[in-house]
Amino acid sequence: MGKAYVVGVGMHPFGRFLDKSIKQLTRHAVWEAIHDAGIDPKRVEIAYFSNSFAGALSGQHSVRGQIYLRDAGFSEIPIINVENACASGATAFQHACLAVSSGQVDVALAVGVEKMFVGDTAKTISALGSAGDVETTKGQGLQFTALYALKALDYMEKYGATPYHFAKVAEKNSENAVLNPYAQFRKKLSVEDVLNSRMIADPLTLYMCSPIADGSAAVIVASEKIANQLGKAQVHLKGSVLKSGQLYDPNNKQPSVITKASNELFEKIGIGHSDINMLEVHDAATSIEFEHVEDLGLVPRGTAFEEVVSGTFHISGKLPMNMSGGLTSKGHPVGASGVAQIVEITKQLRGEAKERQVYTNEKLPLTGLCLNTGGRVEDDRAAYAITILAR
Amino acid sequence: MDNMLELNVWTRDNEGRPSLIGSKCVECDHLSFPAKEVCPYCMTNGRSEEILIGRIGKVVSATTCYTAPKGIQAPYTLGLIEIESGVQVLAQISGNAIKKGDKVELVIYSSVSAETAEETIGWKYQIVEGGNQ
């Protein structure tokens, strides 16, 4: 297997863009990535198009990638439509890398787009609910915020965390988003702001939850040969893993999918937990950052809520997490989120993150991890994607 | 059934009480909801039998939601229910002061959409009388 390099990244800012169509959002991110790579777009040989809800929200249920990418100039090349709920973006990126590393193509595009502001919040929440088994959740009022609330309650009971700790994560992520021109909310929130915002699903308040968003992100992946030609051979895929949810274990004995998958991945690519300099995780609610970083084995079980208070996960901390602002402050346009994580880690590794730049022992970081999760099947999430990029 | 593509996930037992339809693998005894032909634990095909489960359950955790998808009135409670046979389901729960350990029973409800006047028949759990812990 050859190496797959990230040679170009692009995004449309996340937020509420009532005047922007899905085509416009797609074109913006794709062409920003093309310009960033400095590549002739005719050299893109395959595209993976990540989107979850254009079917439910706009009626474009089928061939979305072919429709939206045609507007960005693409025809004839194979286009694969990727749908794995909130993990669609990472799934698309991992497969673009596979197309390159396997030698199938020299240049691949992964793009994630979502338009969630459609003038009817209940419709959008209902669409999100379809990321579960609709046969068993019909009429139950399934919403992902509630699932995160249940996990938050469990974490509080097990380890003694309180809503204050979830608010500390929101405070941190909002500070990071202030520094990110692509973020939806660029306003610093205090712990009080977060705790006093309205309750969404007990114990999660509004500012602890990721918002509905419009937005897009695109990444161009290339072989070593092309990356060198472009002078863009800085960041490459170190390793990745994609998993589906596991069966419910009434005795709660088996490790989580994240723990099993990350251990498998670390061993396969021969790196240790301490080699991870920074990470972007799937904070659909701020409370889940604790479970994610603990499941990944990067801090001991039951300690993450104290670590956020001591500053470990801040940009200047020992293990910066969600430097982009995370889903909660950067925004969560579902199909774009996983690709946007790759964009952030790439910028950090290149040293292009400006005021958000992470330094590891006063040097640019060498390795970053992305955790992107999506959907629900029975008692677990539907999809998990862990992606590690390195210089 | 209002949609031919959907399988029913609940029925009524001999005494007319609502129950969920699950399955039990004859090979490994694994219980599953919703019912499946293939056991997801041992992957034996065609050796699962349909069983009625979840008439009664226990609240594992519950949260009150203050925003709602279409057709649901906020606030409402969503929670995980451990159904008597050791399977967990996510469901809407009705009742007062719902908390962990409360005893709940399956109920069938009907709601009519204010917009479309379409009737939805659904299932949810309800705290049984004296079931609060």
Side-chain angles (χ1 to χ4, degrees):
Chain A
M1 297 281 274
K3 271 188 183 174
Y5 285 82
V6 176
V7 297
V9 295
M11 275 178 72
H12 185 285
F14 289 3
R16 186 167 179 267
F17 299 102
L18 296 178
D19 58 337
K20 291 275 175 85
S21 68
I22 303 178
K23 286 179 182 173
Q24 287 172 304
L25 293 170
T26 305
R27 189 174 69 233
H28 185 107
V30 167
W31 277 85
E32 197 172 291
I34 289 169
H35 291 311
D36 180 55
I39 196 170
D40 175 356
K42 288 201 156 64
R43 296 183 78 166
V44 174
E45 296 167 82
I46 195 167
Y48 291 82
F49 185 84
S50 158
N51 171 272
S52 275
F53 299 120
L57 297 177
S58 83
Q60 188 66 57
H61 291 283
S62 196
V63 291
R64 295 173 215 164
Q66 287 83 347
I67 303 281
Y68 301 132
L69 281 170
R70 176 63 63 89
D71 187 68
F74 292 88
S75 58
E76 288 197 41
I77 62 163
I79 295 172
I80 296 98
N81 289 286
V82 178
E83 200 291 298
N84 257 350
C86 305
S88 301
T91 308
F93 173 73
Q94 291 186 0
H95 283 80
C97 289
L98 185 60
V100 169
S101 61
S102 68
Q104 183 195 358
V105 297
D106 273 318
V107 182
L109 168 69
V111 53
V113 187
E114 208 73 63
K115 179 156 186 63
M116 302 173 78
F117 280 107
V118 293
D120 182 350
T121 306
K123 187 177 174 184
T124 302
I125 296 178
S126 298
L128 285 161
S130 73
D133 180 347
V134 296
E135 286 183 7
T136 58
T137 60
K138 185 186 172 191
Q140 303 300 329
L142 168 68
Q143 53 177 313
F144 282 80
T145 310
L147 295 171
Y148 285 102
L150 295 174
K151 281 191 164 284
L153 291 168
D154 185 51
Y155 190 89
M156 288 164 70
E157 188 181 310
K158 272 190 190 141
Y159 305 114
T162 67
Y164 165 80
H165 299 98
F166 307 147
K168 284 298 284 184
V169 176
E171 179 191 60
K172 164 182 76 75
N173 289 353
S174 74
E175 284 171 14
N176 295 352
V178 167
L179 307 175
N180 185 356
Y182 292 91
Q184 184 167 5
F185 297 119
R186 303 189 63 198
K187 178 175 172 266
K188 184 182 171 349
L189 298 170
S190 67
V191 165
E192 291 70 33
D193 291 335
V194 179
L195 291 173
N196 293 334
S197 62
R198 71 186 163 90
M199 191 65 82
I200 299 294
D202 190 25
L204 302 179
T205 63
L206 180 67
Y207 293 147
M208 296 176 193
C209 302
S210 60
I212 286 169
D214 302 332
S216 60
V219 172
I220 296 176
V221 181
S223 63
E224 187 157 17
K225 186 182 81 187
I226 302 291
N228 281 324
Q229 281 174 14
L230 297 167
K232 289 280 181 184
Q234 298 104 326
V235 177
H236 68 276
L237 177 75
K238 185 84 179 165
S240 69
V241 58
L242 180 67
K243 293 278 185 186
S244 300
Q246 65 189 2
L247 292 179
Y248 173 57
D249 170 17
N251 303 316
N252 213 9
K253 290 256 167 63
Q254 65 175 342
S256 74
V257 170
I258 296 174
T259 300
K260 289 194 284 193
S262 57
N263 285 340
E264 194 181 292
L265 179 60
F266 284 133
E267 190 170 331
K268 185 177 154 195
I269 63 178
I271 69 169
H273 290 82
S274 60
D275 292 320
I276 301 299
N277 300 136
M278 60 185 167
L279 66 163
E280 289 278 310
V281 301
H282 199 83
D283 60 322
T286 57
S287 49
I288 205 70
E289 276 199 9
F290 303 147
E291 184 194 290
H292 282 344
V293 71
E294 291 174 13
D295 275 0
L296 287 165
L298 299 175
V299 300
R301 185 69 61 192
T303 65
F305 73 102
E306 291 166 334
E307 296 288 350
V308 75
V309 177
S310 62
T312 301
F313 306 130
H314 286 62
I315 285 174
S316 57
K318 272 187 294 194
L319 185 63
M321 181 153 55
N322 284 331
M323 300 74 69
S324 68
L327 274 54
T328 39
S329 287
K330 183 182 54 192
H332 182 27
V334 169
S337 286
V339 183
Q341 292 182 329
I342 302 295
V343 172
E344 177 67 16
I345 294 291
T346 299
K347 287 185 177 176
Q348 292 284 353
L349 291 170
R350 286 178 178 173
E352 292 174 358
K354 302 196 172 131
E355 299 97 324
R356 307 193 303 290
Q357 186 61 50
V358 168
Y359 291 97
T360 308
N361 300 323
E362 293 169 18
K363 290 187 182 134
L364 288 180
L366 291 170
T367 308
L369 179 149
C370 299
L371 170 63
N372 188 202
T373 69
R376 179 181 169 87
V377 56
E378 297 184 2
D379 299 280
D380 199 358
R381 295 180 187 92
Y384 292 88
I386 303 172
T387 310
I388 298 179
L389 299 179
R391 276 201 293 134
Chain B
M1 211 179 298
D2 56 4
N3 185 337
M4 300 275 291
L5 292 171
E6 287 176 24
L7 294 169
N8 242 346
V9 295
W10 62 272
T11 185
R12 290 184 188 275
D13 67 11
N14 293 336
E15 295 170 48
R17 299 173 302 189
S19 181
L20 296 177
I21 306 168
S23 57
K24 181 178 181 176
C25 175
V26 173
E27 296 298 330
C28 77
D29 289 342
H30 181 80
L31 298 172
S32 206
F33 173 77
K36 296 169 187 65
E37 291 280 337
V38 178
C39 172
Y41 189 77
C42 70
M43 288 193 82
T44 302
N45 185 8
R47 298 274 292 147
S48 287
E49 55 188 31
E50 233 174 60
I51 55 164
L52 299 187
I53 56 173
R55 192 178 68 73
I56 299 288
K58 204 169 70 176
V59 177
V60 175
S61 61
T63 177
T64 307
C65 304
Y66 296 87
T67 59
K70 272 204 181 317
I72 305 277
Q73 197 67 39
Y76 67 102
T77 301
L78 201 62
L80 289 170
I81 312 289
E82 176 133 54
I83 53 187
E84 48 203 329
S85 13
V87 182
Q88 202 170 267
V89 296
L90 179 81
Q92 202 183 136
I93 310 167
S94 58
N96 292 319
I98 300 159
K99 61 189 175 312
K100 188 174 177 171
D102 286 351
K103 199 175 169 194
V104 290
E105 63 182 346
L106 188 69
V107 291
I108 303 305
Y109 73 95
S110 143
S111 72
V112 178
S113 161
E115 279 172 39
T116 63
E118 194 185 324
E119 188 189 17
T120 304
I121 308 279
W123 54 277
K124 63 180 177 182
Y125 280 88
Q126 182 174 289
I127 304 280
V128 303
E129 231 181 279
N132 279 115
Q133 284 298 296

